[in-house]
Amino acid sequence: MATLADVAALAGYNKSTVSRALARPEMVAPETIARIRAAADQLGYVLNRTASQLARGRTGLAAFVVPTLENAFFAPIIGGAQARAAESDLHLTVTVASLETAAGLAALERLAAQVDGLILAAPRGPEENVAAIAAIKPTVLVDREAEGLPSVVADTATAIGAVVQGLAVRGHRRIAYLGGPPGSWQDPGRAAAAREAAARSGAELTVHGPYPASFAAGVTATAEVLESGATAVVPYATALALGLILTLRGRGVQVPGEVLVSAETTVTEALGVPGIPAIDVAGDALGRAAMDLLGAAMTDPTETSRLRLPVQVTWSRPA
Amino acid sequence: MATLADVAALAGYNKSTVSRALARPEMVAPETIARIRAAADQLGYVLNRTASQLARGRTGLAAFVVPTLENAFFAPIIGGAQARAAESDLHLTVTVASLETAAGLAALERLAAQVDGLILAAPRGPEENVAAIAAIKPTVLVDREAEGLPSVVADTATAIGAVVQGLAVRGHRRIAYLGGPPGSWQDPGRAAAAREAAARSGAELTVHGPYPASFAAGVTATAEVLESGATAVVPYATALALGLILTLRGRGVQVPGEVLVSAETTVTEALGVPGIPAIDVAGDALGRAAMDLLGAAMTDPTETSRLRLPVQVTWSRPA
DNA sequence: ACCGGTTGTGCAACCGGTTGCATGTGACCG
DNA sequence: CGGTCACATGCAACCGGTTGCACAACCGGT
């Protein structure tokens, strides 16, 4: 592997000049840059990130922390963040960790010491634990907000409110909301939005859960849903909706028909029936926004913007 | 932040001794170690990984490369790999990339230069591209095998064969296999196993696809399935199964009943009907095994074990 | 012709560990 | 009792960039 010194020798300049020519060209004469560039790619020189990081006191790593990977919900968010990270020459390391336990907190503190910044996706656990991490390194929250921290949140509360209202308008008098996941920061806001929308439009709302975002939880929830007598159900996650739909049908309940279940567009479209509400979170936009915020926070520690990304609500059309 | 030099000064030893005491205790007198340890945690010393890496010529990074993150299939694999990576003090960076295009190959070559090793999960694209990456850094393949490279594969082929045979035994004369994903190394093996099992047990098998591992693809596949006249369908992925099941039911087809669809246990259980085959891949075990192999390959470049992990087949029992 | 101000480059220290080699000490052996 | 050896520790070079500071050359202005 060619080093800076090799390039310098070949080009006839000092290491320092070569370093500047490559990293801060505005400080170096154009002609010099040209010669150095030529020498560099004649030797196939590539920057040693480790050395660079040591000298600059950075690690070139950003951590993306999720409470679980079982939930496909995080995948597009990670993808979006990943794409942006690559653009700013950062590596994104994905870690499963929880802030709910002392052990989890300790693990994250250790991690924080080894990265330049972190994105905490839907972190559960007490706010002081979140603050403890944020005190170590620039931190951005996803789907949670906290005093003095930058965050980006998918505004599912508004979307769920709109869905509940829309259902009421379409004649549903009894609506069930399946909330979760347990410990979620978003959940109370969603439930509140659902309640408010129901109240405003004169429908009755039952709130169930919290449920984890899993197919199995959807299965479990079926009994409660049937018991509630609701004609429409709004689960907060797709996996939940699928588990619910399949189980309902397995018990001979017409879905939609006797009970309507909202989901995301790909699912509602598949049902081939009009008038089903779909809630779609743009995960990759969420991830990108989070990474952008992290970039900002890394250069300016006073960055504390709170972003709320709109969430799409669609009603399936006649086929 | 305390450095080695600080600890050395406090403990009254040389940097080098402190370094050894902490990293290679067998070279240092026990009493010395004790004093150094004391000094170290009095100062709250933690190793600077960047400096360590520079000195040792490693990056402390392993890359986990997936073709896409949309597919929840990779999540548990990543989780498993991640857990093992943490144990060996490596960071796992998850990257979405493809070996099918020149651009993708170039991106991966760049990535390979910056990590200590890579895990390529279900990589598509020509074998020479895989080899090109493996030539740069120790590489482990997941769900693909290649000459001279360590790999770990979930033996879905055998599982699918067993399912097809089981279906035939239970009286299904016409079985459809939904294959994929496009470009998959596994797919031909799966299709072959399905064909062989069908032939052996005297059932008729139609092979469809390849389909991507998505809910939407399951929706799309419905027409073809109905056309085939099959009474049982074996899709290679859960998302595919769900899309198919929902769409079939949306069209008034009894599932199971008129058409039986295999899936994974969580789904088949939800259906509440006995006799449905489930195929379950232990994703985290796959990830762990891959990371273990990578560890081995990083120390011993001649490591070329090919692991095949068994895949669980279960028939749902009467409820 | 002189001076303050740019601009371009070199020098050397520095980031914080790691490691080959040298040195010193005491134990063990003949 | 001298010699050999294992063991513990120190010294200093090294990994490969980055950057503050010094210095030289050259600029236009007076």
Side-chain angles (χ1 to χ4, degrees), chain A residues 131-182:
Chain A
I133 298 301
I136 304 178
K137 285 290 163 62
T139 299
V140 172
L141 265 32
V142 170
D143 265 2
R144 174 164 181 168
E145 294 182 344
E147 189 57 35
L149 287 186
S151 58
V152 40
V153 167
D155 191 4
T156 45
T158 300
I160 282 174
V163 166
V164 168
Q165 170 159 16
L167 288 168
V169 166
R170 283 163 176 77
H172 291 273
R173 309 317 308 158
R174 213 183 179 89
I175 302 172
Y177 167 67
L178 301 194

Side-chain angles (χ1 to χ4, degrees), chain B residues 62-66 81 92 117-121 138-142 287 290-291 294:
Chain B
F64 193 103
V65 181
V66 290
L92 234 219
L118 345 225
I119 297 175
L120 305 182
T139 299
V140 172
L141 266 31
V142 170
M291 196 64 221
L294 183 56

Side-chain angles (χ1 to χ4, degrees), chain B residues 13-14 16-17 20 27-29 32 54-55:
Chain B
Y13 288 91
N14 186 279
S16 56
T17 302
R20 291 189 189 110
M27 296 182 66
V28 176
T32 306
L54 174 58

